[in-house]
Amino acid sequence: MVQRRSRDGNKSHELIRFYITDDQNHIPVRLDMFLSFGSAKAYLREYKGVRSAMTSKIN
């Protein structure tokens, strides 16, 4: 998981959270975005043409 944070004055808040595969491809499989009016999530539905075999598994 990779997180990007923003600063407002002395406060820090999370803007986006990336979930990437733990293999040689490092494909983003989920994004969580925290917006001023709510939040949104995006999920990877399919993939093709990756350089290495997909070895990561979801539990």
Side-chain angles (χ1 to χ4, degrees):
M1 175 174 50
V2 179
Q3 296 180 348
R4 172 73 173 116
R5 292 187 173 270
S6 173
R7 289 187 182 176
D8 284 338
N10 292 332
K11 294 182 180 179
S12 176
H13 64 277
E14 189 173 17
L15 294 175
I16 190 165
R17 187 181 302 155
F18 294 85
Y19 293 85
I20 58 174
T21 58
D22 188 22
D23 58 13
Q24 291 180 342
N25 297 304
H26 303 295
I27 297 173
V29 292
R30 178 177 159 185
L31 300 175
D32 294 346
M33 295 156 281
F34 306 100
L35 310 168
S36 61
F37 54 86
S39 63
K41 293 183 182 183
Y43 298 91
L44 178 69
R45 293 183 57 185
E46 62 181 78
Y47 63 90
K48 62 181 176 180
V50 294
R51 292 183 182 187
S52 303
M54 291 291 287
T55 57
S56 295
K57 297 189 183 210
I58 297 174
N59 293 332

